Amino acid sequence: MVYALLITFREGLEAALIIGIVLSCVRRADAGASTRPVWLGAALAGGLSLGAALTLEALAVELPGRWQDAIEGFAMLLAAAVLTWMLAWMRRQSATIGRDLRQRVDRALDAGAGFTLGLLAFTAVGREGLETALFLFGGSGRAESAALYWAGAAAGLALAAAVGAAIYRGAKTLPLRAFFDVSAAALVLLAAGMVPNALKELHEAGFIAALGPRLWDTYTLLPDNYGPGRFLGTLLGYDASPFAGQVIAYAAYLAIAAVVFFRAARPAHPTPAPAGVRAA
């Protein structure tokens, strides 16, 4: 539940902030301009993302047990890779994303193109929504209760919408750079937990022949199939008796993610941005 809440809150807030920037630009440039295309684009993207999440779950349920494990394992690895790339990209673009969005909104308003505004909202929300669907599917196999897992996802989205609305209306000030840095670090830990779990699923499905010997066994102290151990396993990938391959992969992912994350913080060279570069 906590994993799903963190994912949807972080991704949902990012989408809400982008939509808030777009709406602010529209109203500042032309108080009488319609914001309907923005809301319509966001709603269509939200529906598409929900459909993608339901499709992934339906496909997994219909597959035989071995292939369910394999799909979940590959989905976890893909989600960890995409999550790491997305966090690094967002960290590098955070300094200019607001300015780029305002420039695109101004161009759309000058051209009188409501479709362009709707497409801007659609792409922003759609990107976050599809990423969220992938991350939730990748983590759903670790959830103890499906109902609690998806309740956490819904709570995260509701919280993101509330915080985004409060920021847009000026009722609350949030140190966004610090928030995204802290939440990004937390998501890196969540993604790291996916890696050993993914290898375990692929091993059980027969796609990985061996993961080496088991390095320790703490089952009597902290079992991983119920209570706090289950919670840590769902959230951070804890395993009471991990294979050597799982531990090595976990440490390797954290090392790679740290390098990528901190390199992304370096300021880019001040070169003109191409017109086709995504602002969202």
Side-chain angles (χ1 to χ4, degrees), residues 23 27 40 55-56 88 91 96 106 109 125 131 136 165 167 182 185 196 210 263 265:
L23 291 174
R27 290 179 175 173
L40 180 59
T55 300
L56 286 173
R91 185 172 172 85
T96 61
D106 289 341
L109 290 174
V125 176
E131 287 173 354
L136 290 177
I167 294 173
V182 172
R263 281 179 64 88

Side-chain angles (χ1 to χ4, degrees), residues 6-7 10-11 83 86-87 182-192:
L6 286 175
I7 287 291
R10 209 277 183 181
E11 297 293 308
L83 180 61
M86 180 271 296
L87 292 174
V182 172
S183 65
L187 290 183
V188 165
L189 291 177
L190 296 181

Side-chain angles (χ1 to χ4, degrees), residues 25 97-108 110 273:
C25 293
I97 188 171
R99 182 181 69 241
D100 293 341
L101 276 173
R102 294 183 185 98
Q103 290 174 352
R104 295 181 66 178
V105 170
D106 289 341
R107 288 196 296 268
D110 291 341

Side-chain angles (χ1 to χ4, degrees), residues 42-163:
L44 288 174
L48 175 65
S49 303
L50 179 60
L54 294 176
T55 300
L56 286 173
E57 287 296 317
L59 288 175
V61 170
E62 293 297 325
L63 292 172
R66 175 176 180 266
W67 286 101
Q68 285 186 29
D69 292 339
I71 291 296
E72 288 179 0
F74 285 122
M76 288 180 190
L77 291 178
L78 179 60
V82 173
L83 180 61
T84 307
W85 173 85
M86 180 271 296
L87 292 174
W89 183 87
M90 194 66 193
R91 185 172 172 85
R92 184 174 292 276
Q93 298 294 324
S94 61
T96 61
I97 188 171
R99 182 181 69 241
D100 293 341
L101 276 173
R102 294 183 185 98
Q103 290 174 352
R104 295 181 66 178
V105 170
D106 289 341
R107 288 196 296 268
L109 290 174
D110 291 341
F115 174 79
T116 303
L117 288 176
L119 183 61
L120 181 60
F122 178 85
T123 54
V125 176
R127 182 178 68 86
E128 303 299 334
L130 292 177
E131 287 173 354
T132 302
L134 176 62
F135 302 151
L136 290 177
F137 177 73
S140 61
R142 299 180 294 163
E144 183 174 6
S145 168
L148 282 177
Y149 185 79
W150 294 107
L157 285 176
L159 184 59
V163 174

Side-chain angles (χ1 to χ4, degrees), residues 226-255:
Y226 67 91
R230 176 75 187 209
F231 175 78
L232 291 175
T234 301
L235 195 63
L236 300 175
Y238 167 74
D239 193 318
S241 55
F243 293 102
Q246 290 177 279
V247 176
I248 293 172
Y250 183 86
Y253 171 81
L254 283 180

